[in-house]
Amino acid sequence: MGSPSRTVVDVGALLDGSAWSAYQKLLTMLAALAVIFDGFDIQILAFAIPSLLGEWQVTRSDFAPVVALGLAGMACGSPLAGYCGDRFGRRAALIGCVALFGLGTIATAFVNGLAGLAVLRFLTGMGAGGALPNASALTAEFAPLRRRAVAVKLTIVCVPLGGMLGGLIAARVLPAYGWRALYAIGGAAPLLFALVLWRVLPESPRFLARRPASWPRLARLLNRMGHAVPADATFEERAGRSGADRVSLRALFRPGLARDTAGLWIAFFFCLASIYLVFGWLPAMLTAQGINVATASSGLAVYNFGGVLGVLLWTVLMTYLGSRGPMLYGSLACAASALALLLAPIQAQDDHTWLIAGLFVNGLLANAVQTSMFALAAHVYPTSVRASSVRAYATPDAWERC
Amino acid sequence: MLSSLGGAAIIQAGAVPYWYALAGAMVCAFAGLAWVRNHFPATVKIDATRAMAP
C-alpha cells in the first residue's frame, strides 16, 4: 500500500455506502442493453429454423446438434469469459463477448450449410454465454449494496426482453427479407454497440482497485461518479480479498443441506429444460403445424414478453408471500397452462388468439419460477457456502468462477 | 443441451407431445421445489413483526 500520508480508500465500502448516481444507472443501462442483444442472439436460430428448413431442404431433427452446439458454446463461454473478466477486466471481457456474438451472428448470414451454421453457432454461443455473467458482474460492482439485487435483476430480465424484441423484429423481417437479413441485423446491432461500449463503458472500480497501476484511472472514475477522491489516493477492495469463498462442493450436500440442494437442482434442471424447449423449438414446432413464420415468431416474442412481466410480478409476490407459495403454485400453473395449450386451435386456418394467450401465460410463469430460484438458492445456503458454490448459479460472481 | 436434442425428436412427433413435455418438465420442477424445506418467508411480514417488537 502507499505511504501513510496518502488517503486510503476502500472502494467497496465507498460504493456500498453511497447513493446510486445517475452515472451508475447509465452504466447499468449499458450492461442491460448488452444483455438485450445477448437475449436476441441466443434465440435468433429458433426464429430462423422455419425459413432454413425450406431453403436448405433439411429436416427439423438435423438442427438438433446445431442447437445443442450453441448451448455447449454458452456453457464453455461462461467460465472462460469469467476467467478473462477476472484476469483482464470486466470491461474488456464484456466488449469482447458482445463483439464475438455480433461477429458470429453476422457471419451466419453468409453460411450455406449445417456444418458452417453449427461452427458459428458454437462461437456465437461462447460470446453470448460470456456476456451475461460479465454484464451482471459489472452491474453488481457498480451498484451500491442496497441496490445491487435490483440492478442485477434488471439486467437479467433483459434476456427475455431481447428475445421479445427479436420475435417482433423476426415477425417483420423474415417474411419480407428472409433469414439472412435477420442475422445481418442481429449481428450488426451488437457489433455497433460494442463500439459504443468501447467508447463509453469504464472498467469496474472494484477491479481497478486491485491494480495499483490503474489507481489514477480509478480516481478519475470515482470523481466522475460524484466521490471527491484525491488524485494520489491509494485504494483497496477488502470485500474482494476474502479467501473464505473457496468451499468444497461437498458442503452443498452436508446434513441439513443435501435435501434442499437435490430439490433445487431438480427444479433448476427441469425448469430450464422447459424454457429452452421453447427458446430452441417453438417456432419450428408451430410452423410444422402450418402456422406462418410471422405468427410463429410472434408466439416466441409473446412468451418472452410474459417472461419479463413474470419476473417483475414474482419479485413483488415473493416479498409479500415468501417463496414457497408463489413458486409451487407458479410451477403447477405453468404445467396447467402447457396442458391448456392442447386445447388451443393450432392449424393454419384457425384463430390463434388462444395459442398466443397460452404462450404468454406459460412464458410468464416459467420465467417467473426460474428466476425466483436464484433468490431461493441464495436463501437456502449459509453465507460460508453461498460465497462459493451456490454463487455458481445464484450470483454473477459464481458464473465467473463456475 | 438435452432439451435441444430431445426437442427435435419431440417436435417431429407433433404439437401434443411438445405441450406434454413442457407440462411434464414443470411438474418435475414443482416436485423439486416442494422437496426444498428451507423456503424463505415474506420479507414484508418480517419487517412488520420487527417493527412491532418492543
Side-chain angles (χ1 to χ4, degrees), chain A:
Chain A
M1 292 294 134
S3 68
S5 62
R6 284 184 167 185
T7 309
V8 179
V9 179
D10 180 351
V11 173
L14 179 69
L15 292 178
D16 287 344
S18 317
W20 198 18
S21 69
Y23 182 59
Q24 285 161 282
K25 286 175 190 166
L26 170 73
L27 299 176
T28 300
M29 197 187 77
L30 286 174
L33 272 171
V35 177
I36 287 178
F37 289 121
D38 188 88
F40 182 3
D41 283 2
I42 286 172
Q43 296 181 50
I44 194 169
L45 179 62
F47 298 120
I49 284 176
S51 307
L52 289 165
L53 287 169
E55 188 173 318
W56 288 356
Q57 298 296 310
V58 289
T59 65
R60 285 169 180 78
S61 55
D62 291 332
F63 283 99
V66 180
V67 177
L69 267 175
L71 292 171
M74 288 177 71
C76 297
S78 185
L80 186 62
Y83 170 78
C84 291
D86 280 342
R87 184 84 174 76
F88 306 110
R90 318 267 185 243
R91 176 181 183 275
L94 177 61
I95 294 170
C97 287
V98 172
L100 178 62
F101 73 69
L103 277 172
T105 304
I106 209 164
T108 307
F110 302 97
V111 297
N112 288 305
L114 283 170
L117 180 66
V119 171
L120 288 172
R121 195 65 204 154
F122 182 80
L123 290 176
T124 305
M126 282 191 77
L132 182 60
N134 277 299
S136 307
L138 261 176
T139 301
E141 291 180 5
F142 271 111
L145 185 61
R146 64 186 180 284
R147 300 287 182 203
R148 192 169 299 154
V150 173
V152 172
K153 199 144 199 171
L154 285 176
T155 308
I156 293 173
V157 83
C158 288
V159 174
L161 194 59
M164 185 191 87
L165 291 176
L168 296 176
I169 294 168
R172 288 177 184 276
V173 170
L174 283 174
Y177 305 105
W179 67 271
R180 291 184 196 275
L182 181 67
Y183 268 94
I185 293 169
L191 272 180
L192 289 174
F193 185 65
L195 293 175
V196 174
L197 287 177
W198 185 262
R199 292 280 303 166
V200 179
L201 187 71
E203 184 51 88
S204 155
R206 296 171 204 257
F207 177 84
L208 293 175
R210 295 196 288 270
R211 283 158 180 76
S214 304
W215 286 352
R217 203 169 131 204
L218 176 57
R220 286 196 300 276
L221 174 62
L222 289 173
N223 282 324
R224 192 164 180 193
M225 288 164 70
H227 305 290
V229 176
D232 64 341
T234 59
F235 296 92
E236 58 182 11
E237 219 307 66
R238 285 183 194 144
R241 274 196 211 156
S242 169
D245 61 351
R246 294 280 181 259
V247 178
S248 145
L249 193 66
R250 272 180 301 185
L252 297 177
F253 289 95
R254 72 187 189 204
L257 283 182
R259 177 174 163 162
D260 288 351
T261 298
L264 271 170
W265 284 16
I266 290 167
F268 261 105
F269 179 88
F270 283 103
C271 195
L272 280 174
S274 168
I275 288 173
Y276 276 93
L277 207 51
V278 175
F279 279 3
W281 295 111
L282 180 72
M285 191 282 291
L286 292 178
T287 51
Q289 308 306 311
I291 292 176
N292 64 49
V293 172
T295 308
S297 299
S298 301
L300 186 49
V302 162
Y303 179 90
N304 280 293
F305 178 56
V308 175
L309 290 185
V311 172
L312 302 176
L313 187 61
W314 251 244
T315 303
V316 177
L317 268 181
M318 295 207 309
T319 307
Y320 286 95
L321 302 173
S323 63
R324 180 177 285 277
M327 292 184 79
L328 291 183
Y329 288 119
S331 48
L332 269 189
C334 185
S337 71
L339 292 177
L341 280 163
L342 286 165
L343 305 173
I346 204 173
Q347 300 306 311
Q349 69 279 8
D350 293 331
D351 175 19
H352 298 128
T353 308
W354 283 111
L355 172 71
I356 297 293
L359 287 171
F360 171 79
V361 174
N362 191 262
L364 186 152
L365 294 165
N367 283 284
V369 171
Q370 203 273 322
T371 5
S372 302
M373 285 183 205
F374 292 114
L376 178 58
H379 170 77
V380 160
Y381 298 103
T383 309
S384 58
V385 178
R386 185 165 69 233
S388 61
S389 313
V390 180
R391 270 188 181 171
Y393 52 90
T395 73
D397 276 355
W399 293 340
E400 292 162 26
R401 292 182 185 134
C402 65

Side-chain angles (χ1 to χ4, degrees), chain B residues 10 18-19 52:
Chain B
I10 291 167
Y18 183 79
W19 302 133
M52 282 188 293

